[in-house]
Amino acid sequence: MNVVAKTETGRALGDTFALVCDRLPGKGKISDQRRQAFDAYERLGLPHRRIEDWKYTDLRALMREVLPLAPAPDAAALKRAAAAAKSRAIDGVRRLVLVDGTFAPALSDLGKLEKGLSIRALSEVLETGDGALSAQAFASDNSNPMIALNGAMATDGVVVEIADGTVLSRPLQIVHVASGTTPAAMFTRSLLRLGRDVGATLVESYLAADGVKAYQAHDALVVAIGDNARLDHVRLVEDTVDAFNISSATVSLGAHAHLNTFGMTTGGHVSRYQLTVAFAGEGSKVETNGVNLIKGTQHADTTLFMDHAVPDCTSREIFRAVVDGRAHSVFQGRIIVRPDAQKTDAKMMTRALLLSDEAEADNKPELEIFADDVTCGHGATTGALDESLLFYMRARGLPEKEAQALLIQAFVGEAIETIVNDDLREVAISTAQRWLEARA
Amino acid sequence: MSLLEVKDLKVRVEEREILHGLSLTVNPGEVHAIMGPNGSGKSTLSHVIAGKPGYEVTGGQILFRGEDLLEMEPNERAAKGVFLAFQYPVEIPGVTTWNFLHAALNAQRKARGEDEMSSPAFLKKVREVAKSLNVPQDMLKRGVNVGFSGGEKKRNEILQMALFEPAVCILDEMDSGLDIDALRIAADGVNALRSPERAMVVITHYQRLLNYIVPDYVHVMSKGRVVKSGGKELALELEESGYTQFEDAA
Ligand SMILES: Nc1ncnc2c1ncn2[C@@H]1O[C@H](COP(=O)(O)OP(=O)(O)OP(=O)(O)O)[C@@H](O)[C@H]1O
Ligand SMILES: [Mg+2]
């Protein structure tokens, strides 16, 4: 393993870290944690296919190197980013914008915060030294090299706290915009804390300003959902087709809590989303739905880990992929049911639609069950569009691409239907529509 | 000029010849009935006319208004006015009937260089047609044929035929699965579409349908060929004597 750290890539990044670590927000304990995280990353380097978890997504081959840190945005960059954020504006949401890894208050909607809602920049939280919050934001697992790297390098993000009993009337949206004209890496980390009896909706969007090409977005989200609270979460990855997006979300749920999460990736050359859900209280429920629409030489990996440690919790994972061209979709779903987690109901389903002969979909379900009174299962289907349906539609006058588009819409629509918020459902529908139109 | 001319058509499916030189000429205004035992190739003929993939035409030709139909994509054929009411209509979950019909109609209009039809105009039209065929409105909101009974599926086919106003309608066993009332309504729908410009090819096993849709010509198919053609009285004759006499002829 030590050999790995001695690669050119490892050294170059080590130099980068040495150069920037003093300027990264957070002193004392935080800077120690950053160094530990960086050391943890360096021991492994960029993950490669011989590491089981990264078998299908060999970052060493796909990404080759971690790019230099993006500079903080200047006025011109902010202007480009503002235009990009505006082009994807969603009515009625409170928008929080991160540009090139830096929180941009001027582009964010911080006015008239609802009672019980607090929003701060991560850099500010780290600098002012709120120990508990900082510790929570950085309490991630260094055994995952990309989460460790994120912990070492994170420049900014948002810290959202929602007090007990608060039900937000407007969804929050964190928009990650890449605006840089030279290839660079952005490292962001956000924390979302929902107290007891909270109701909230979070949208995460990833996009780039006009003309921006290659970049790397490294993001981490830490979420704590209190007892009896509910989070609806929608994630839309619309990065450029030259970009890398390596994101992780670590969610913990209290008792009788509810998480409904939906993810759609249409952008990015290579993307990986790692979602870890830890059930910490009884009677909680998680629904994860997703659909990735990819083409060309895109590679999109969704890796989910459901950790059932307590009794009486339910998890549902339904993951869909529409794969065209020579694109490669990866789904890894691991469910662990620990000895105490009796009455767990955990199910996982994947469905891949392959639109070309060269399209590829890999699917790796893993069930590790250590309790006896549980309902667990997984299923998978992979296939092409049904020829007899296509013929019927064409015989009614629809050109082949249009007939395909209707069938793809139907397939994608089943996933989108799981989004509870009407406006966000519409946004997801138009995102899928853009993908289909680009294909036609 | 004939509307549809099938000349000495030879078709193979998976290395096996199914149609062995079949000819049929259909002129505007005519109604032709094709009868024949199971497996004689009736659906195969209708599929090849509509352009279903998987059939290899090894000989002969199909002309539509003098144009080579076999060179056209299925959707081009539809836009030119060829319509097939399927023996087994498929179910399309997640695509509402209303949405599908609107998209299909506009695709046809676009291919013909006509203006697309707006949603309100389309809604009005499809409602009228549905009403005339006794098709409940809520069927239009459901996925195409999803959860429809056999009879409802067939009615949905006739509804599409009425909506698209094609030049040649091929009805593959539209009577199967219909009860006697539904049969009458569907047949009335078909009869309402009879016109001097339009032709129908009605595939059926039963004389009964032909009491409602009275043909000008009846053709008997057996083992991939038309073995006998005649007037509507031929259907009655078949009802009496069955197909066995023709199997030897084939
Ligand atoms: N895809 C296929 N593969 C193999 N054989 C086929 C295929 N389609 C049709 N056939 C064969 O071709 C012959 C004609 O079938 P076809 O469906 O055209 O008959 P039909 O006259 O419509 O019968 P029916 O009255 O039962 O509807 C049959 O022997 C059938 O098994
Ligand atoms: Mg048949």
Side-chain angles (χ1 to χ4, degrees), chain A residues 387-389 391-400 402 406-407 409-411 414, chain B residues 51-52 73-75 78 83-84 86 90-94 103-104 107-108 157 160:
Chain A
E387 285 294 335
S388 66
L389 302 195
F391 172 62
Y392 184 85
M393 299 171 94
R394 294 175 73 200
R396 295 299 183 245
L398 288 166
E400 187 161 25
E402 271 185 59
L406 281 180
L407 293 180
Q409 267 170 6
F411 178 81
E414 284 180 53
Chain B
K52 185 171 178 166
E73 295 293 325
N75 44 299
F83 181 88
L84 167 62
F86 285 72
V90 294
E91 298 190 6
I92 315 178
Q108 290 194 20
E157 295 293 288
Q160 295 181 47

Short mmCIF file of all heavy atoms in Angstrom, two decimals, chain A residues 387-389 391-400 402 406-407 409-411 414, chain B residues 51-52 73-75 78 83-84 86 90-94 103-104 107-108 157 160:
data_model
loop_
_atom_site.label_atom_id
_atom_site.label_comp_id
_atom_site.label_asym_id
_atom_site.label_seq_id
_atom_site.Cartn_x
_atom_site.Cartn_y
_atom_site.Cartn_z
N GLU A 387 -38.97 -4.03 -28.07
CA GLU A 387 -39.14 -3.86 -29.52
C GLU A 387 -40.61 -3.85 -29.94
O GLU A 387 -41.00 -3.14 -30.86
CB GLU A 387 -38.42 -4.98 -30.29
CG GLU A 387 -36.91 -4.84 -30.35
CD GLU A 387 -36.46 -3.62 -31.14
OE1 GLU A 387 -37.22 -3.14 -32.02
OE2 GLU A 387 -35.35 -3.14 -30.88
N SER A 388 -41.41 -4.67 -29.28
CA SER A 388 -42.80 -4.74 -29.72
C SER A 388 -43.55 -3.45 -29.37
O SER A 388 -44.41 -3.00 -30.13
CB SER A 388 -43.51 -5.97 -29.13
OG SER A 388 -43.60 -5.83 -27.74
N LEU A 389 -43.16 -2.82 -28.26
CA LEU A 389 -43.75 -1.52 -27.93
C LEU A 389 -43.30 -0.47 -28.93
O LEU A 389 -44.08 0.36 -29.41
CB LEU A 389 -43.38 -1.07 -26.52
CG LEU A 389 -43.73 -1.98 -25.35
CD1 LEU A 389 -43.63 -1.23 -24.04
CD2 LEU A 389 -45.13 -2.55 -25.50
N PHE A 391 -42.39 -0.88 -31.99
CA PHE A 391 -43.04 -1.06 -33.30
C PHE A 391 -44.47 -0.53 -33.27
O PHE A 391 -44.91 0.16 -34.18
CB PHE A 391 -43.02 -2.53 -33.75
CG PHE A 391 -43.85 -2.73 -34.98
CD1 PHE A 391 -43.53 -2.07 -36.16
CD2 PHE A 391 -44.99 -3.52 -34.96
CE1 PHE A 391 -44.32 -2.20 -37.30
CE2 PHE A 391 -45.78 -3.66 -36.08
CZ PHE A 391 -45.45 -3.00 -37.26
N TYR A 392 -45.16 -0.83 -32.20
CA TYR A 392 -46.54 -0.35 -32.09
C TYR A 392 -46.58 1.18 -32.21
O TYR A 392 -47.40 1.75 -32.93
CB TYR A 392 -47.12 -0.78 -30.74
CG TYR A 392 -48.58 -0.43 -30.52
CD1 TYR A 392 -49.58 -1.26 -31.00
CD2 TYR A 392 -48.94 0.73 -29.84
CE1 TYR A 392 -50.93 -0.95 -30.79
CE2 TYR A 392 -50.28 1.04 -29.63
CZ TYR A 392 -51.27 0.20 -30.10
OH TYR A 392 -52.60 0.51 -29.91
N MET A 393 -45.66 1.82 -31.53
CA MET A 393 -45.64 3.28 -31.52
C MET A 393 -45.25 3.84 -32.89
O MET A 393 -45.79 4.84 -33.34
CB MET A 393 -44.68 3.77 -30.44
CG MET A 393 -45.10 3.32 -29.05
SD MET A 393 -43.87 3.65 -27.78
CE MET A 393 -44.47 5.21 -27.20
N ARG A 394 -44.31 3.17 -33.52
CA ARG A 394 -43.89 3.63 -34.85
C ARG A 394 -45.00 3.40 -35.86
O ARG A 394 -45.20 4.21 -36.78
CB ARG A 394 -42.60 2.91 -35.27
CG ARG A 394 -41.43 3.28 -34.39
CD ARG A 394 -40.21 2.48 -34.74
NE ARG A 394 -39.65 2.92 -36.00
CZ ARG A 394 -38.84 2.20 -36.76
NH1 ARG A 394 -38.52 0.97 -36.38
NH2 ARG A 394 -38.37 2.67 -37.87
N ALA A 395 -45.73 2.31 -35.70
CA ALA A 395 -46.84 2.04 -36.62
C ALA A 395 -47.94 3.09 -36.48
O ALA A 395 -48.80 3.21 -37.33
CB ALA A 395 -47.40 0.64 -36.36
N ARG A 396 -47.88 3.85 -35.39
CA ARG A 396 -48.84 4.95 -35.21
C ARG A 396 -48.27 6.28 -35.66
O ARG A 396 -48.87 7.33 -35.43
CB ARG A 396 -49.25 5.04 -33.74
CG ARG A 396 -50.00 3.83 -33.25
CD ARG A 396 -51.31 3.65 -34.01
NE ARG A 396 -52.05 2.52 -33.47
CZ ARG A 396 -52.30 1.41 -34.16
NH1 ARG A 396 -51.88 1.28 -35.41
NH2 ARG A 396 -52.98 0.44 -33.61
N GLY A 397 -47.05 6.23 -36.22
CA GLY A 397 -46.51 7.45 -36.82
C GLY A 397 -45.35 8.08 -36.08
O GLY A 397 -44.79 9.07 -36.54
N LEU A 398 -44.98 7.55 -34.91
CA LEU A 398 -43.88 8.17 -34.18
C LEU A 398 -42.53 7.72 -34.73
O LEU A 398 -42.28 6.52 -34.84
CB LEU A 398 -43.96 7.80 -32.69
CG LEU A 398 -45.08 8.46 -31.91
CD1 LEU A 398 -45.27 7.78 -30.56
CD2 LEU A 398 -44.79 9.95 -31.71
N PRO A 399 -41.65 8.66 -35.08
CA PRO A 399 -40.30 8.27 -35.48
C PRO A 399 -39.62 7.53 -34.34
O PRO A 399 -39.96 7.72 -33.17
CB PRO A 399 -39.60 9.61 -35.76
CG PRO A 399 -40.68 10.61 -35.96
CD PRO A 399 -41.85 10.12 -35.14
N GLU A 400 -38.65 6.70 -34.68
CA GLU A 400 -38.03 5.83 -33.69
C GLU A 400 -37.54 6.58 -32.44
O GLU A 400 -37.82 6.16 -31.31
CB GLU A 400 -36.86 5.07 -34.33
CG GLU A 400 -36.30 4.02 -33.39
CD GLU A 400 -35.48 2.97 -34.11
OE1 GLU A 400 -34.95 3.28 -35.19
OE2 GLU A 400 -35.37 1.86 -33.58
N GLU A 402 -38.49 9.39 -31.21
CA GLU A 402 -39.61 9.91 -30.41
C GLU A 402 -40.29 8.78 -29.63
O GLU A 402 -40.69 8.98 -28.48
CB GLU A 402 -40.65 10.59 -31.31
CG GLU A 402 -40.38 12.05 -31.54
CD GLU A 402 -41.50 12.70 -32.33
OE1 GLU A 402 -42.65 12.68 -31.87
OE2 GLU A 402 -41.21 13.20 -33.44
N LEU A 406 -40.51 8.53 -25.50
CA LEU A 406 -41.71 8.32 -24.67
C LEU A 406 -41.52 7.17 -23.70
O LEU A 406 -41.93 7.24 -22.54
CB LEU A 406 -42.94 8.06 -25.56
CG LEU A 406 -43.61 9.27 -26.20
CD1 LEU A 406 -44.81 8.83 -27.04
CD2 LEU A 406 -44.06 10.28 -25.16
N LEU A 407 -40.89 6.10 -24.18
CA LEU A 407 -40.67 4.95 -23.30
C LEU A 407 -39.64 5.27 -22.22
O LEU A 407 -39.78 4.84 -21.06
CB LEU A 407 -40.23 3.72 -24.10
CG LEU A 407 -41.26 3.13 -25.07
CD1 LEU A 407 -40.68 1.91 -25.79
CD2 LEU A 407 -42.53 2.74 -24.32
N GLN A 409 -39.07 8.29 -21.01
CA GLN A 409 -39.78 9.18 -20.08
C GLN A 409 -40.61 8.38 -19.08
O GLN A 409 -40.66 8.70 -17.90
CB GLN A 409 -40.73 10.09 -20.85
CG GLN A 409 -40.15 11.41 -21.23
CD GLN A 409 -41.07 12.16 -22.18
OE1 GLN A 409 -42.18 11.72 -22.46
NE2 GLN A 409 -40.59 13.28 -22.67
N ALA A 410 -41.27 7.35 -19.59
CA ALA A 410 -42.10 6.53 -18.71
C ALA A 410 -41.24 5.84 -17.65
O ALA A 410 -41.59 5.79 -16.47
CB ALA A 410 -42.87 5.50 -19.52
N PHE A 411 -40.10 5.33 -18.08
CA PHE A 411 -39.17 4.63 -17.19
C PHE A 411 -38.62 5.59 -16.13
O PHE A 411 -38.59 5.28 -14.93
CB PHE A 411 -38.04 4.06 -18.05
CG PHE A 411 -36.96 3.34 -17.31
CD1 PHE A 411 -37.13 2.03 -16.90
CD2 PHE A 411 -35.75 3.96 -17.04
CE1 PHE A 411 -36.12 1.35 -16.23
CE2 PHE A 411 -34.74 3.30 -16.37
CZ PHE A 411 -34.92 1.99 -15.96
N GLU A 414 -41.25 7.00 -13.41
CA GLU A 414 -41.55 6.21 -12.21
C GLU A 414 -40.65 6.60 -11.04
O GLU A 414 -41.06 6.55 -9.89
CB GLU A 414 -41.40 4.72 -12.49
CG GLU A 414 -42.54 4.15 -13.29
CD GLU A 414 -42.35 2.66 -13.56
OE1 GLU A 414 -42.13 1.91 -12.60
OE2 GLU A 414 -42.40 2.27 -14.75
N GLY B 51 -44.70 -2.81 -41.62
CA GLY B 51 -43.26 -2.59 -41.49
C GLY B 51 -42.63 -3.13 -40.22
O GLY B 51 -41.60 -2.64 -39.76
N LYS B 52 -43.23 -4.16 -39.66
CA LYS B 52 -42.65 -4.72 -38.43
C LYS B 52 -41.29 -5.36 -38.72
O LYS B 52 -41.14 -6.12 -39.67
CB LYS B 52 -43.61 -5.77 -37.87
CG LYS B 52 -43.17 -6.32 -36.53
CD LYS B 52 -44.24 -7.18 -35.89
CE LYS B 52 -43.70 -7.72 -34.58
NZ LYS B 52 -44.74 -8.29 -33.74
N GLU B 73 -39.91 3.51 -43.55
CA GLU B 73 -39.97 3.21 -42.12
C GLU B 73 -41.45 3.05 -41.72
O GLU B 73 -42.33 3.64 -42.36
CB GLU B 73 -39.39 4.37 -41.30
CG GLU B 73 -37.92 4.63 -41.52
CD GLU B 73 -37.05 3.50 -41.00
OE1 GLU B 73 -37.41 2.91 -39.95
OE2 GLU B 73 -36.03 3.19 -41.64
N PRO B 74 -41.73 2.30 -40.66
CA PRO B 74 -43.13 2.13 -40.23
C PRO B 74 -43.85 3.47 -40.02
O PRO B 74 -45.01 3.62 -40.40
CB PRO B 74 -43.00 1.39 -38.90
CG PRO B 74 -41.69 0.71 -38.95
CD PRO B 74 -40.80 1.54 -39.81
N ASN B 75 -43.13 4.44 -39.43
CA ASN B 75 -43.77 5.73 -39.16
C ASN B 75 -44.07 6.51 -40.45
O ASN B 75 -45.06 7.22 -40.53
CB ASN B 75 -42.94 6.57 -38.19
CG ASN B 75 -41.47 6.57 -38.48
OD1 ASN B 75 -40.85 5.51 -38.45
ND2 ASN B 75 -40.91 7.72 -38.77
N ALA B 78 -47.23 5.06 -41.78
CA ALA B 78 -48.38 5.56 -41.03
C ALA B 78 -48.75 6.97 -41.50
O ALA B 78 -49.92 7.28 -41.72
CB ALA B 78 -48.08 5.56 -39.54
N PHE B 83 -52.73 2.07 -41.94
CA PHE B 83 -53.06 1.84 -40.53
C PHE B 83 -53.32 0.37 -40.28
O PHE B 83 -54.08 -0.26 -41.01
CB PHE B 83 -54.29 2.65 -40.13
CG PHE B 83 -54.67 2.47 -38.68
CD1 PHE B 83 -54.11 3.29 -37.71
CD2 PHE B 83 -55.57 1.48 -38.29
CE1 PHE B 83 -54.44 3.12 -36.36
CE2 PHE B 83 -55.89 1.31 -36.95
CZ PHE B 83 -55.33 2.13 -35.99
N LEU B 84 -52.71 -0.15 -39.23
CA LEU B 84 -52.96 -1.53 -38.83
C LEU B 84 -53.58 -1.55 -37.44
O LEU B 84 -52.98 -1.05 -36.49
CB LEU B 84 -51.63 -2.32 -38.83
CG LEU B 84 -51.66 -3.69 -38.14
CD1 LEU B 84 -52.63 -4.64 -38.83
CD2 LEU B 84 -50.27 -4.31 -38.11
N PHE B 86 -54.07 -3.77 -34.54
CA PHE B 86 -53.37 -5.00 -34.18
C PHE B 86 -54.30 -6.09 -33.64
O PHE B 86 -55.27 -5.80 -32.93
CB PHE B 86 -52.33 -4.71 -33.11
CG PHE B 86 -51.10 -4.01 -33.62
CD1 PHE B 86 -51.14 -2.69 -34.00
CD2 PHE B 86 -49.89 -4.70 -33.71
CE1 PHE B 86 -50.01 -2.04 -34.47
CE2 PHE B 86 -48.75 -4.05 -34.18
CZ PHE B 86 -48.81 -2.72 -34.56
N VAL B 90 -50.44 -3.89 -27.78
CA VAL B 90 -49.53 -3.98 -26.63
C VAL B 90 -49.93 -2.97 -25.55
O VAL B 90 -50.61 -2.00 -25.82
CB VAL B 90 -48.07 -3.71 -27.05
CG1 VAL B 90 -47.57 -4.80 -27.97
CG2 VAL B 90 -47.92 -2.33 -27.69
N GLU B 91 -49.46 -3.23 -24.34
CA GLU B 91 -49.67 -2.28 -23.24
C GLU B 91 -48.40 -1.44 -23.07
O GLU B 91 -47.30 -1.97 -23.10
CB GLU B 91 -49.94 -3.04 -21.93
CG GLU B 91 -51.19 -3.88 -22.00
CD GLU B 91 -51.62 -4.44 -20.64
OE1 GLU B 91 -51.01 -4.08 -19.62
OE2 GLU B 91 -52.57 -5.24 -20.62
N ILE B 92 -48.57 -0.15 -22.89
CA ILE B 92 -47.42 0.74 -22.71
C ILE B 92 -47.54 1.48 -21.39
O ILE B 92 -48.09 2.58 -21.33
CB ILE B 92 -47.29 1.75 -23.88
CG1 ILE B 92 -47.49 1.05 -25.23
CG2 ILE B 92 -45.93 2.44 -23.83
CD1 ILE B 92 -47.44 1.98 -26.43
N PRO B 93 -47.03 0.89 -20.31
CA PRO B 93 -47.17 1.53 -19.00
C PRO B 93 -46.41 2.86 -18.96
O PRO B 93 -45.34 2.99 -19.55
CB PRO B 93 -46.52 0.53 -18.03
CG PRO B 93 -46.32 -0.72 -18.80
CD PRO B 93 -46.27 -0.36 -20.24
N GLY B 94 -46.98 3.82 -18.28
CA GLY B 94 -46.29 5.10 -18.07
C GLY B 94 -46.45 6.09 -19.21
O GLY B 94 -45.99 7.21 -19.12
N ALA B 103 -49.06 12.85 -29.52
CA ALA B 103 -47.70 12.82 -30.10
C ALA B 103 -47.72 12.13 -31.46
O ALA B 103 -47.09 12.59 -32.42
CB ALA B 103 -46.75 12.10 -29.14
N ALA B 104 -48.47 11.02 -31.55
CA ALA B 104 -48.51 10.26 -32.80
C ALA B 104 -49.19 11.08 -33.91
O ALA B 104 -48.70 11.15 -35.04
CB ALA B 104 -49.23 8.93 -32.59
N ALA B 107 -46.90 13.78 -35.02
CA ALA B 107 -45.77 13.24 -35.79
C ALA B 107 -46.22 12.98 -37.23
O ALA B 107 -45.50 13.29 -38.19
CB ALA B 107 -45.24 11.96 -35.14
N GLN B 108 -47.40 12.42 -37.38
CA GLN B 108 -47.93 12.16 -38.73
C GLN B 108 -48.13 13.47 -39.49
O GLN B 108 -47.78 13.59 -40.65
CB GLN B 108 -49.26 11.42 -38.65
CG GLN B 108 -49.13 9.99 -38.18
CD GLN B 108 -50.40 9.19 -38.45
OE1 GLN B 108 -51.23 9.56 -39.28
NE2 GLN B 108 -50.54 8.07 -37.76
N GLU B 157 -58.11 0.57 -30.58
CA GLU B 157 -57.55 0.50 -31.94
C GLU B 157 -58.46 1.22 -32.93
O GLU B 157 -57.98 1.99 -33.77
CB GLU B 157 -57.37 -0.97 -32.37
CG GLU B 157 -56.36 -1.75 -31.56
CD GLU B 157 -54.94 -1.28 -31.76
OE1 GLU B 157 -54.36 -1.52 -32.84
OE2 GLU B 157 -54.41 -0.65 -30.83
N GLN B 160 -58.19 4.92 -32.59
CA GLN B 160 -57.00 5.48 -33.25
C GLN B 160 -57.21 5.58 -34.75
O GLN B 160 -56.82 6.53 -35.39
CB GLN B 160 -55.78 4.61 -32.93
CG GLN B 160 -55.44 4.64 -31.45
CD GLN B 160 -54.22 3.82 -31.12
OE1 GLN B 160 -53.20 3.91 -31.79
NE2 GLN B 160 -54.32 3.00 -30.10
#
